[in-house]
């Protein structure tokens, strides 16, 4: 039986990321993409990328959680995203929430 789009029900789906992560840039892009799909916030940027002992990645992704006027009062958040060596999301958590205009402490 076919579904809309011509795919058969039960047909094997191609993996979202068919290849291993190829460096920090690739890890950052995948983490940002996965996180923004889950939390539905606008991506602001990636502030850190580091390798784990098991060849996975930990990426800090900054997102806009609440837009305000003026923009300097908008609320941003940093999420720590962990990927395995294949680029699959293992876990994420919010590690900070702050006003855009706030200085680092």
């Amino acid at each position: 039986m076919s579904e809309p789009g011509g795919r058969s029900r039960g047909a094997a789906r191609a993996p979202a990321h068919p290849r291993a992560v190829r460096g920090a840039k690739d890890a950052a892009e995948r983490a940002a993409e996965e996180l923004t799909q889950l939390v539905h916030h606008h991506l602001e940027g990636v502030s850190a990328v580091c390798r784990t002992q098991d060849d996975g990645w930990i990426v800090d992704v900054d997102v806009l959680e609440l837009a305000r006027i003026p923009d300097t009062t908008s609320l941003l958040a940093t999420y720590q995203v962990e990927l395995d060596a294949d680029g699959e999301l293992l876990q994420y958590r919010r590690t900070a929430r702050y006003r855009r205009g706030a200085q680092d402490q």
Side-chain angles (χ1 to χ4, degrees), residues 34-100:
E34 293 284 339
L35 181 69
T36 55
Q37 287 178 8
L38 289 170
V39 298
H40 303 290
H41 293 306
H42 176 75
L43 174 69
E44 288 287 312
V46 172
S47 53
V49 180
C50 62
R51 205 82 198 239
T52 63
Q53 291 181 348
D54 59 351
D55 290 330
W57 297 88
I58 294 181
V59 181
D60 288 351
V61 179
D62 302 317
V63 298
L64 174 65
E65 286 202 332
L66 182 61
R68 290 186 174 162
I69 298 174
D71 191 48
T72 55
T73 62
S74 293
L75 292 179
L76 301 167
T78 299
Y79 285 81
Q80 187 175 74
V81 180
E82 185 174 350
L83 304 175
D84 66 13
D86 294 325
E88 295 298 318
L89 177 73
L90 297 176
Q91 63 182 349
Y92 73 94
R93 66 188 180 102
R94 185 171 65 189
T95 57
R97 193 170 196 210
Y98 53 94
R99 232 181 41 246
R100 184 184 301 274

Side-chain angles (χ1 to χ4, degrees), residues 1-13:
M1 182 155 232
S2 288
E3 294 183 61
R7 259 190 29 214
S8 298
R9 198 179 298 171
R13 250 175 79 183

